[in-house]
Amino acid sequence: MAQFTFKWDTAVYKGETSINTGIFIDDEWSPGSDNTTIDIINPSSGKVLTAIAEGTPNDVDRAVQAAQKAFDTVWGLNAPGSLRRDLLTKLADLMQRDFDELCAIEALDNVKPHCYPALSFCLTSISGKTYWWAGAVDVPFSIQTLRYYAGWADKLQGKVIETSEAKLGYTRHEPIGVVGQIIPWNFPLIMLIWKWAPALATGNTIVMKPSELTPLSALKMCHLVKEAGFPPGVVNVVTGYGTTVGHAISSHMDIRKVAFTGSTLVGRKIMEAAAKSNLKPVTLELGGKSPLIIFDDADLDEALKWVAHGLFWNAGQTCSATTRIFVQETIHDKFIDLLAKAASSVKVGDPFAEGINQGPLVSQTQYERVMGYIESGKSEGAKVAVGGERQGTEGYYIPPTLFTNVSSDMKIAKEEIFGPVGVIIPFKDEEDAIKPANDTIYGLAAGVFSTNINRALNTAHKLKAGTAWVNCSNTVDAQLPFGGFKQSGIGREQGEYALANYTVVKAVHVNLGIQM
């Protein structure tokens, strides 16, 4: 199989990687069954970076067969929790060993830039890394999540339930079997670990499709899975398009569960395919249009930093991005000036260049989508406070963009943009903020800023979202569940709650003396 080899010789990182570009099934690399490939584009330049194998439904069949064999023989109930714990811990150790390389792959594949020194908001204290968001968040958080679920692997338990002295009744939480997982392009490594870690900890085997736009981190992780010593067939990765590989996974009769992160539109299709095939359960983490409410008693210096982070992190390509900013009218104009100044100080460019805060969008398609929303905002009468135009002529760069004079019926106020674009809307009082904040088909996340903790909590409790941030934005933890209300999804990832996604409960009745 072909290898993708890349050398970095930049001011911020020097190193090399070599990744197999095939399909990973049963611990072996192979081309797709049709021997076709998919070009991977470098978003910084718009040029071809490499090509990967294009999987097909036949390859999904092979992967499912390998996964089922592993589940029946060496994994599932055949692998004690202590073994699963040790293998997950070993995988985390290997990720720690290859930390810098993983950061560079994420930055190359998904253009993770520096954090925002211009906004005095930098998460480098998490990892000691000073140059990549990948080094500050993506890679260390992925390792932390893996270690968290390694700790759960030998602690899964049911209950003994009293019925009568003539019967022993108890429950077992057993692995489902072969699970399908489909992840998006915006956080390739984090999304992979969010899916792999609870599934493996609970004893399931995996058939995964990474995004065809950003597959390199997943392919690198396959090398580490093999090195860690996971039995063949436990983890299988089939690269390809959603319409072929994704559909084959969601409709496969021998895949017993499917987990998906992506758009609400595609989530509907996956849910339909799952229902029409074998009625497999689904976990869906979908789109968002998250509100952020800033009261006039908020600490504006802190609010400014968190708002910029919640809005512009990952170039706004974040499902939980707090893109609808409701500001109390007594501080509205002042806050716009402060946020516009901060946004205009963000340096946009090549993520491997020194001093860069934000990289390009992931693809030409995404660039055109975001620019379409910007033009829509202009044509509908919204005012551009900062940004609003393409930057440069090469790559997919759009600077931070803020709109004011926005009404709730505008597309930019209703639809998920998935780019560095936010709208600022004034409000009078608490009731005037909560009603429009909840007036959305989505319910993934929301936030509130106030130094009055009673007001802040009262508002947070009234917001219809799966995550509510108080005096912060877009911060997640391995221990806390993440998922949405309404059309933002079904089920929860992260924390103990995610374990339920990958287990089935069996009730056992033992007759100790009941006579017929």
Side-chain angles (χ1 to χ4, degrees):
M1 275 306 302
Q3 291 280 130
F4 168 62
T5 300
F6 194 87
K7 292 183 179 180
W8 291 269
D9 186 14
T10 70
V12 294
Y13 179 70
K14 300 181 189 300
E16 181 177 349
T17 192
S18 184
I19 303 171
N20 199 300
T21 57
I23 290 168
F24 186 73
I25 297 175
D26 210 18
D27 253 18
E28 299 294 334
W29 297 94
S30 66
S33 59
D34 288 349
N35 284 303
T36 52
T37 59
I38 299 171
D39 285 342
I40 304 302
I41 305 300
N42 184 342
S44 296
S45 65
K47 299 176 181 177
V48 174
L49 186 63
T50 187
I52 60 165
E54 180 184 0
T56 69
N58 289 334
D59 298 309
V60 173
D61 287 339
R62 289 197 299 121
V64 171
Q65 290 168 9
Q68 188 65 59
K69 180 181 177 182
F71 183 78
D72 291 339
T73 58
V74 295
W75 204 245
L77 299 178
N78 303 291
S82 57
L83 174 61
R84 303 195 302 270
R85 175 200 65 206
D86 292 347
L87 288 171
L88 287 167
T89 300
K90 176 64 174 176
L91 183 59
D93 291 342
L94 293 174
M95 292 177 69
Q96 192 68 54
R97 181 198 68 188
D98 294 350
F99 190 100
D100 290 341
E101 182 184 354
L102 286 168
C103 291
I105 293 169
E106 282 283 287
L108 179 68
D109 205 20
N110 190 239
V111 291
K112 302 288 181 182
H114 293 63
C115 46
Y116 289 102
L119 302 175
S120 302
F121 184 81
C122 188
L123 300 179
T124 53
S125 59
I126 296 174
S127 63
K129 296 291 172 182
T130 57
Y131 31 90
W132 306 124
W133 267 115
V137 179
D138 297 59
V139 178
F141 183 46
S142 297
I143 295 171
Q144 175 197 357
T145 301
L146 202 55
R147 295 195 190 282
Y148 171 78
Y149 282 106
W152 272 111
D154 59 355
K155 299 175 183 64
L156 305 173
Q157 55 190 338
K159 297 178 180 180
V160 174
I161 301 172
E162 182 179 356
T163 57
S164 73
E165 290 303 301
K167 177 189 281 188
L168 169 65
Y170 63 92
T171 59
R172 288 163 54 90
H173 290 214
E174 298 182 356
I176 294 173
V178 179
V179 300
Q181 300 178 328
I182 304 170
I183 60 173
W185 46 260
N186 57 333
F187 292 97
L189 186 60
I190 289 177
M191 292 294 98
L192 177 143
I193 294 298
W194 278 26
K195 298 290 190 291
W196 279 13
L200 295 172
T202 49
N204 298 277
T205 54
I206 292 169
V207 177
M208 171 174 276
K209 188 198 93 67
S211 170
E212 66 276 13
L213 298 177
T214 56
L216 298 182
S217 293
L219 297 176
K220 168 63 180 178
M221 288 299 297
C222 291
H223 288 277
L224 298 187
V225 161
K226 189 169 185 176
E227 184 178 353
F230 282 83
V234 171
V235 174
N236 307 274
V237 172
V238 181
T239 50
Y241 293 109
T243 52
T244 51
V245 173
H247 180 72
I249 288 174
S250 56
S251 61
H252 203 286
M253 293 298 293
D254 295 323
I255 290 178
R256 302 302 176 187
K257 184 258 179 353
V258 64
F260 168 76
T261 297
S263 71
T264 298
L265 176 64
V266 176
R268 290 179 187 276
K269 295 179 180 179
I270 287 173
M271 191 172 184
E272 180 183 14
K276 286 184 174 179
S277 53
N278 57 352
L279 207 62
K280 61 177 69 66
V282 298
T283 303
L284 303 174
E285 196 266 278
L286 307 175
K289 191 69 175 176
S290 300
L292 192 64
I293 297 172
I294 304 172
F295 287 104
D296 58 8
D297 65 346
D299 181 331
L300 286 189
D301 288 339
E302 279 299 304
L304 176 68
K305 299 169 190 176
W306 282 106
V307 168
H309 168 65
L311 179 56
F312 300 131
W313 180 33
N314 205 41
Q317 300 170 123
T318 308
C319 54
S320 57
T322 42
T323 57
R324 292 186 298 140
I325 306 163
F326 295 88
V327 183
Q328 198 154 19
E329 58 187 14
T330 50
I331 60 169
H332 176 261
D333 293 348
K334 178 181 179 180
F335 193 81
I336 288 175
D337 291 342
L338 291 172
L339 186 57
K341 181 179 179 181
S344 58
S345 72
V346 173
K347 296 181 179 180
V348 180
D350 184 343
F352 284 95
E354 204 161 11
I356 294 299
N357 311 134
Q358 178 185 306
L361 301 188
V362 73
S363 66
Q364 178 72 29
T365 299
Q366 189 62 20
Y367 163 79
E368 291 174 354
R369 171 188 170 89
V370 174
M371 286 303 301
Y373 275 109
I374 290 174
E375 293 308 313
S376 170
K378 293 176 182 178
S379 65
E380 288 187 320
K383 179 182 177 182
V384 177
V386 66
E389 303 292 341
R390 175 176 185 159
Q391 177 170 310
T393 58
E394 186 178 79
Y396 314 125
Y397 296 97
I398 298 176
T401 298
L402 294 171
F403 280 100
T404 61
N405 194 34
V406 176
S407 61
S408 59
D409 60 342
M410 292 181 179
K411 285 180 65 175
I412 57 173
K414 294 192 301 182
E415 298 181 15
E416 184 177 41
I417 298 174
F418 227 63
V421 181
V423 300
I424 303 175
I425 302 170
F427 69 90
K428 294 180 180 179
D429 53 28
E430 184 177 322
E431 182 180 355
D432 190 40
I434 292 172
K435 185 176 180 180
N438 286 333
D439 185 19
T440 172
I441 65 171
Y442 299 111
L444 188 56
V448 55
F449 280 84
S450 174
T451 54
N452 182 330
I453 194 62
N454 291 330
R455 170 193 256 181
L457 291 178
N458 181 61
T459 302
H461 294 169
K462 291 179 179 178
L463 292 169
K464 305 301 183 184
T467 292
W469 290 298
V470 176
N471 293 327
C472 57
S473 178
N474 251 329
T475 175
V476 292
D477 294 276
Q479 300 89 336
L480 288 172
F482 184 82
F485 291 3
K486 298 185 280 189
Q487 294 185 40
S488 285
I490 298 171
R492 293 294 179 268
E493 297 189 295
Q494 295 293 83
E496 182 180 358
Y497 289 85
L499 300 173
N501 297 333
Y502 294 102
T503 55
V504 287
V505 179
K506 176 185 289 182
V508 181
H509 302 248
V510 182
N511 186 352
L512 299 178
I514 303 173
Q515 300 295 320
M516 288 293 289

